Amino acid sequence: MVNVSKKTTGFNDIVKKIGFPTIFIGGFWILLLIAGGALGISINTLLSDTIKRAGMNGILVLAMVPSIQSGTGPNFALPVGIVCGLFATVWAIEFGFTGWAWLFVSIAFSIPLSVVVGYLYGRLLNAVKGSEMTIATYTGFSIVAAMCLAWLMIPFKSRNMGWFIGKGLRETIQLDVIGGDKILSEFLSFTIGGEKGIIIPTGMLLIFFLCCFIVWMYFRSKSGIAISAGGINPKFAKSSGIDIDKGRIKANILSTIMGAIGIIVYSQGYGYTQLYTAPLMMAFPAVAAVLIGGASAQRAKVSHVIIGVIIYQGLFTTALPVANQLFEGTDLSEILRMVIQNGIILYALTQVKGGDN
Amino acid sequence: MSDNLLSLKHVSKEYSGNKVLKDINIELKKGEIHALIGENGAGKSTLMNILFGMSVIHTTGGFEGTIEIEGKEADIKSPHDAMAYGIGMVHQEFMLVPGFTIMENIKLNREITKPNLVSPVFGKRLETLDIKKMNMDTRQALDTLDMSIEEYVQVAGLPVGHMQFIEIAREIDKTGLKILVFDEPTAVLAESEAANLLNAMKKLAQKGIGILFISHRLDEIIDVADVVTVLRDGEHVVTKNVEDTNKYEIAQLMVGRSITIDREEGTNKNIVDETILDIKDLHVAMPGERVKGVNLNVKKGEIVGIGGLAGQGKLGIANGIMGIFPAKGEVKFKGKKSALNDPKSAIKSGLAFVSEDRKGVGLLLDESIESNIAFSAMQINNEFLRNSGMIKLKDSKKIRDHANKMIKDLDIRCTSSMQRVGSLSGGNQQKVCVARALTLSPELLLVSEPTRGIDIGAKKLVLDLLKQLNNEGMTIIMTSSELAELRSICDRILIICEGKVEGVLPPDAPDAEFGLMMSGSRHIEGREVNG
Amino acid sequence: MNNENISERLNSSKVTTWLADNIVSLIFVAFTLFGFLVSDGVTMNFFLTELSSRFFRNAFLVLSLIIPVVAGLGLNFGIVVGAMAGQVAIAIVLYFGWGGLNGLLLTMLIALPIATLFGYLTGILYNKTRGQEMIASLMVGYFAKGIYQFLFLFVVGVIIKVPKTHPMIKPDGVGVRMTVDMGAYDKGGLKYALDKIWEIPFMWAILAIFAAILLLQLWKLIRNKKNPVLYRYNKTMTVINIILSLVMIAVSIQAITTESSLMMVRKVPVFTGLLIVALCIFNELILKTKLGQDFRSVGQSQHIAEVSGINVDKTRIIATIMSTVFAAWGQIMYLQNMGTLNTYGAHTQIGMFSVASLLVGGASTQKAGVKHAILGTLLFNSMFIMSPEIGLSLFGNALLGEYFRTFMVYGVIGLALGLHVWRTNKKGKATLN
């Protein structure tokens, strides 16, 4: 009788537990770091950049967890949430908010907007069960394209945002003018190891960890547990009276909110708010990151997000200078990104089990 | 040299140590209709899988014994081989493509082609389809079955009876068809359609085709078959000429067995005459187990058994009451009307369900034992939660404590309450399901197929557990395909046939009564039977 | 053999069903007509010239999408991979300076094995991602882009040594240039190598095409009279086609004889047209073979096909290979008309634009035919031409028109996909009788 499970011992078991892609890609990053060091690139700079970019992108990757857990797969429609965040940002600037006020108003306004949009989009997803990922991708694309029209026609007057000639908003809005540039990143930031050490953008990391905590808590609540069950075994959930459709909508709203907050944090870290077609492809790096962290298209944990975003951002921030040193002139790191990012998504797709048969 | 068309000699099959077929010998002559009857688990499907070379047989160690066709040994390793030997099968689930025409369905992957300009270079697959000839062949097959429908009509939207006939037409279109197997062909047909089908069967037999007819309907067997073979628990019980036997005898042979599960004597249960559950005219749309009007009255404190052959609807009853599948009708629990199609309200009112689909509906395989046990009570009764302001968080300590208690009480063998349920044995998984139901503190427990897939030793433990719960006052409705276990602990047993209650029997009623009811031979027109 | 609609279990009338099936096409027709109404910068000549050249450039690519739909693979966004195969072939031929018609034929020959290999690999991928083929095809396009760039930016130069001085290679010797001029066909290049073999005036082409359509309809009528059972046809469509053909023949004869301004529309490349017609015929004929019937069987029900003994995996791979090879040739046809190889950008949008075209023509993820491809290419490209004009007239901003065009492309795919999935899900719900 097989009642007693063997304790996880041995290399093979560890590999299975963490996941082969995570180890492979993580290992590759470590290799690049070592190579970088050998080539004379400052490891501290590499690590600082990694932490910075992980903090910038973290919440966007976190948005994947609710949607995966609820059974709708990774949120390829992340641009929908991003657009909500951008819209809130732009409003805040138009109303003249600067600095911390701008940050709080943006976030505060983005939340109710995301709730409404997330609800509507959640209804759409419930009508297309089985093809959520494909529909999500095209919904994301369509919304971004529709917003391009909106950005052009919106009658805002703020000098900081508009084109110098004609109507409509600029493609890129500089945040230093309104005091928003790196406002979170520099809050309480410090350096490890002296002047040329590793820079820790405390404020940004704090808000990232706060959001992680919120998501983690949510999935330990009655509602979150119900949603997770509905995502992996709808029959089981239904037999306990759970309304799966409602759960999917709730999860989608949470995911949209994360997307909105995520882009605000990203923008301040970057120093620019980018409109128009910039959000078009932003779902894919986030999807790839959570998958690299060990998630599958059906199950994801907050730990996958943290591990994944660090490895993903680390890999590509390290690859750029190393590749430039080794092979001048070619943008090898960009090619590497295309191959790894899309490759891991393809790999995850091959692991998706067919529907209920 | 026998004049047998088909001979199965000493056929045996084992699935991981479990012998499901033991030394089966069946002979089929040309033009003979040979019926095969048996309860669930008797081995009929396995035998057909062997005859058809289905991969499930070969990937699990093959089978013992030989198959002979017209006296010569046949090596059947795939459905394609079976077809080459002239064996055809009319399945229960239609293998028809709705978007294709009748002709396209009949000729699927056996299309007739003509060579064209490119086929010599690129191969046979690029030959042009010879639609004219295929239409002619189809017409011929349909005419043989007296079907006037045009061959270019699309299959989608045709009545079920027609689809059945198209399945048959496909088989008889196959050249060299010698043996045709019908697997419960009349199960989905209306009476007139069933009559047509039996006529068609006789016609085909007259042409010399040997027919194997699997059915549970004794009336049909007596009507149409020449020979009948009874299988029971994988064993060949008897083969008789139909003219030498009768319904009663066949029914008895189908059910009666030497191994019984002993019933505990002496517990003179005082069953209060208080109705706890009253069901009127229940209809349930459960695929494969449709319920078409069941009446049932359950007294507080009794153990009611629901039995019947597979696909007759017995599993649909509990699923319908608990809202798993769409249902309509009237259900009153403890005197109050119970809402159907609402699992939450069913559970809240005091009903709990242990489903026959252990790994699907019953468990979250990748979660821990403790999470599974606490789930329903948490979601429906708000137990195991801590109120932290606006949000209700799970109370891990309470969950663990309760799980440990259940593990002790039900003797669940595991490493800890955190063990993944998917890695437990069947019996222990079943206990986790029961634990989850019991955590709801129900007044009435519905349990379906409680010992399915569990070895003999563990079976008794589960049944003992149910008996113990009943002694402590729980009313139980137990649905099972194993008559033996129903007879061992139930106070009375309902037999469901064709989606309705065929009759109610005491556990010690003679075997033949059970057999006749299960095969629907006791059905008297117009008289409603209440449970 | 027909590809008619599956009978609906929903209780809707024939008209509503037709509307729901064709709503996307109707939107595009309305859009084009609206464009003509609103804008004043667009003359019929300009419109027809643009439409004609776009049609001959893109039709082949759109036609390559049909077979995967029939075989149940859905919309093959992965034709991008085929396009890349075509570009690899072009790069090779341009590098060695083989031009003219011979050069072009050589390109197509070289592209064949490359596209077959790519198609085979993609087909294996689709079999591994059963049920999610469409998103897999989207992602494989992006993935292949990375590999392609690796090949063209790194392998060429670092691993395969090439001279810095070659016009195709970047000045530092590593990687192919971003734009490569393909050179005039009569001077050793590939531009117009196919188109300029034989060109005829637009109106003559119209005359020829509609005369052929008319003959085809008459032939269908005659066949049906001979054997009503075997050769059934769609009465309403045939009547419409006949009327349309007669009208267009009259128009074209009038234009030719009166030397109207319509004669100034750009000339039509005959050989390109013939290749397009050949692929149309191929698509129709293949469905009349055993292989085509296998495609349809697999597309209708993988399970039943498998049980009946069809090698489902292999059949799907063959369908993918065919689609990829045609996409490779289609991309070559596209590029010889463009005249410049946009090395890293040419293939990026063609997947989406081709899929959008097919959908606009009335196809769905499960049903696609030649007429959808042709109609769709015409309608889609009409919208493409009109959008900047509409943007300018309505909003005074041509850029708005550009963005609107992008929105329409994404939106039409999203809408068509969404509608289709929604209706499929609705049909599948179990009911209580």
Side-chain angles (χ1 to χ4, degrees), chain A residues 84 87-89 91-92 104-114:
Chain A
C84 292
F87 197 68
T89 306
W91 268 92
F104 285 129
V105 167
S106 300
I107 293 182
F109 183 47
S110 72
I111 293 180
L113 184 62
S114 306

Side-chain angles (χ1 to χ4, degrees), chain C residues 36-57:
Chain C
F36 270 114
L37 280 172
V38 204
S39 69
D40 34 36
V42 178
T43 60
M44 197 42 126
N45 260 17
F46 170 73
F47 179 75
L48 286 175
T49 303
E50 282 293 303
L51 186 62
S52 162
S53 27
R54 283 175 171 279
F55 177 82
F56 286 101
R57 220 164 36 216

Side-chain angles (χ1 to χ4, degrees), chain B residues 8 11-15 18-26 36-51 57 63 181 183-184 212 214 229-237 254 257 309-310:
Chain B
L8 295 168
V11 171
S12 305
K13 170 74 186 149
E14 217 179 82
Y15 278 121
N18 196 12
K19 243 184 151 61
V20 294
L21 282 178
K22 305 164 197 160
D23 196 31
I24 307 291
N25 295 284
I26 293 181
L36 213 57
I37 190 168
E39 272 188 284
N40 313 315
K44 306 190 294 283
S45 338
T46 312
L47 197 58
M48 289 307 108
N49 284 340
I50 291 177
L51 188 58
I57 300 291
F63 66 96
V181 179
D183 187 1
E184 303 274 5
L212 270 176
I214 301 175
T229 294
V230 180
L231 291 180
R232 199 176 65 207
D233 294 333
E235 277 173 16
H236 180 179
V237 176
M254 188 173 83
R257 48 178 47 74
L309 294 176

Side-chain angles (χ1 to χ4, degrees), chain B residues 4-8 26-28 51 67-69 179 212:
Chain B
N4 284 330
L5 192 52
L6 171 71
S7 288
L8 295 168
I26 293 181
E27 274 157 20
L28 178 69
L51 188 58
I67 303 177
E68 280 179 16
I69 308 241
I179 300 158
L212 270 176

Side-chain angles (χ1 to χ4, degrees), chain B residues 131-166:
Chain B
I131 301 179
K132 208 159 152 199
K133 193 143 193 320
M134 290 199 278
N135 274 339
M136 271 172 27
D137 280 358
T138 309
R139 184 75 261 143
Q140 204 176 31
L142 291 172
D143 287 339
T144 314
L145 295 169
D146 288 327
M147 281 186 84
S148 60
I149 195 166
E150 288 112 344
E151 59 273 16
Y152 49 81
V153 170
Q154 236 187 43
V155 164
L158 288 179
V160 168
H162 280 86
M163 294 212 205
Q164 184 69 289
F165 273 81
I166 297 171

